[in-house]
Amino acid sequence: MSERPRVLAIDVGTGTQDILLFESGREIENCLQLIMPSPTVAVAQRIAAATAAGRPVLLTGRTMGGGPCGWAARDHAQAGYPCFATPDAARTLDDDLSQVEAQGLRVLAPEEAERMLGAPDPDLVHLEMRDFDGAAIQTALRAFGVDPAVEYVAVAAFDHGAAPPGISDRRFRFDAIAARVRERPDALAFAYRGAEVPADLTRLAAVAADARAYPTPTGAAPVVVVVMDTGAAALAGALEDPVVAAREECLVANIGNFHTLAFALRGGHIAALFEHHTGLLDRERLEGYLRALADGTLDNERVFAESGHGALALDARPLAPAGHTFPFLAVTGPRRALLRGSALSPYAAVPHGDMMLAGCFGLLRAVAELEPSCG
């Protein structure tokens, strides 16, 4: 182990991927950081370019975050242009491959894709799907004379989980969240060593598999991998802000580009939480959810019926008892302006002075918890 072990922490969102190269013993403000387009955005842009040119597309690689890239693949196929995908790549759009084909894509066996690539059509656009692109990160760091080798790689990503046929992926994800929080009511319940990712978290498992191939310093053991859910990473990172950490009771809301995950904390532990789709929330509606979360009345079925994921209360006691002011509310995430001007007086959390790296700071906390030898 190096005397100054290094951690590559990457928070993969829908809009950006936020990258921190942390070196023990160095002031965290002097550690290198990058805010880059998310992998799903980069793939979506390349599919859109192929659509504009009328060229066929072949998707291979692993299951990754959907959203923009999934919509672009669907739009390409529905515009009348061929879009082929291997099973793992196709599951980016839907775990049920029949539903992928219903959107117009053709799912190929891996050997069929290999034959296509062995006798390539000059017009074919081949895209390899993955959330963790170690080669691209290494290239970027080397361009600035930075040694990219690390001992630890930590990645946060949002994973719905592979829901069985006929089961709502919203319901499936939230049931898994509830089970984990009941076992361990803090953000690090959602962090896993790379080899210990549950089988149904297919996106995180794919990330861990790619991250294991990242280079380590000469002579070092294989890279140690930690993966985590994005919302939980943001919560753990927000608690690095001393203003937030000093509160015995508070709410912390991560308002992401696609999902909002909010927690009620008591004594550093999760008392309650809810998850919803950011695009379905305006300020008034989000305030209503946060008020109900604080007073212990937010109902799981209500959130699900309103197209969210769900709500859970382990401790339904109000954070702000009757007659008291609303509890302290910390917000983070790229869409936190949704609460700008709110009567709830939100505090914009800035762990180590940088909101965009909140998830990366949460990942560092997870590495320190799971791998004490990191120092």
Side-chain angles (χ1 to χ4, degrees), residues 274-370:
F274 78 86
E275 185 170 63
H276 213 298
H277 295 103
T278 306
L280 298 178
L281 301 174
D282 56 20
R283 189 176 77 183
E284 181 179 0
R285 193 172 186 189
L286 179 53
E287 286 176 341
Y289 282 128
L290 290 169
R291 290 184 188 279
L293 183 68
D295 64 24
T297 62
L298 188 57
D299 178 69
N300 178 59
E301 292 305 318
R302 170 195 165 190
V303 175
F304 185 80
E306 294 174 353
S307 298
H309 285 246
L312 172 69
L314 296 179
D315 181 350
R317 290 177 297 161
L319 286 190
H324 291 247
T325 58
F326 190 78
F328 178 83
L329 167 64
V331 295
T332 187
R335 296 284 307 280
R336 64 183 182 178
L338 193 62
L339 285 176
R340 183 174 294 153
S342 169
L344 304 185
S345 301
Y347 168 76
V350 282
H352 304 289
D354 198 329
M355 183 279 294
M356 284 301 291
L357 291 184
C360 293
F361 299 138
L363 284 165
L364 293 182
R365 199 167 182 175
V367 171
E369 169 80 11
L370 297 178

Side-chain angles (χ1 to χ4, degrees), residues 14-26:
T14 304
T16 65
Q17 55 178 318
D18 311 321
I19 303 170
L20 173 67
L21 181 60
F22 174 78
E23 186 172 356
S24 300
R26 183 187 295 273

Side-chain angles (χ1 to χ4, degrees), residues 216-304:
T216 58
T218 303
V223 69
V224 175
V225 176
V226 171
V227 296
M228 193 173 186
D229 186 81
T230 48
L235 168 62
L239 292 173
E240 292 292 307
D241 182 321
V243 176
V244 183
R247 301 287 173 157
E248 175 66 18
E249 295 186 347
C250 67
L251 299 180
V252 178
N254 179 59
I255 308 174
N257 284 312
F258 268 40
H259 294 90
T260 291
L261 184 57
F263 301 86
L265 302 179
R266 176 175 281 120
H269 292 91
I270 297 171
L273 64 98
F274 78 86
E275 185 170 63
H276 213 298
H277 295 103
T278 306
L280 298 178
L281 301 174
D282 56 20
R283 189 176 77 183
E284 181 179 0
R285 193 172 186 189
L286 179 53
E287 286 176 341
Y289 282 128
L290 290 169
R291 290 184 188 279
L293 183 68
D295 64 24
T297 62
L298 188 57
D299 178 69
N300 178 59
E301 292 305 318
R302 170 195 165 190
V303 175
F304 185 80

